[in-house]
Amino acid sequence: MTLPDWLPRALAALFVLALLTPVFGWAAGQVGYAEPLENAAEATGATEHASATGTAPFPDYGVAGLGGPTGTFLSAVIGTALTLLLGVGIGRLLGADAGDGR
């Protein structure tokens, strides 16, 4: 099996973005960014009646027990890897000829 020519560049770009996740998190804190859905829930009063329906593997984009930047970085690496694996798996299920770029 040969790898597509674009794959090393794509993996390098994803790795750089994962390395920058703590910077993105810090910048979001500096400008007071909040999730739009959470803002809408607060504005309508829905947060008063909210109840958790499940747990997230990486709540608030962090890893329990690790500090902010470290947890954010690890969360980004794991999330990116899982998404990439899922995409590759779906691509293989759909057929080898579908994404070979020919």
Side-chain angles (χ1 to χ4, degrees):
M1 178 177 123
T2 60
L3 297 176
D5 294 338
W6 56 265
L7 186 60
R9 290 188 307 268
L11 291 175
L14 289 173
F15 184 72
V16 168
L17 288 173
L19 283 175
L20 291 174
T21 55
V23 175
F24 296 141
W26 172 82
Q30 295 301 306
V31 298
Y33 175 80
E35 295 287 336
L37 190 56
E38 290 179 13
N39 292 340
E42 287 177 14
T44 60
T47 55
E48 298 168 14
H49 307 289
S51 61
T53 59
T55 59
F58 303 110
D60 293 326
Y61 308 105
V63 177
L66 294 177
T70 305
T72 301
F73 173 72
L74 189 58
S75 173
V77 169
I78 293 171
T80 300
L82 290 174
T83 303
L84 187 59
L85 287 172
L86 182 65
V88 168
I90 290 172
R92 287 188 183 204
L93 286 174
L94 293 176
D97 294 335
D100 64 4
R102 292 184 201 164

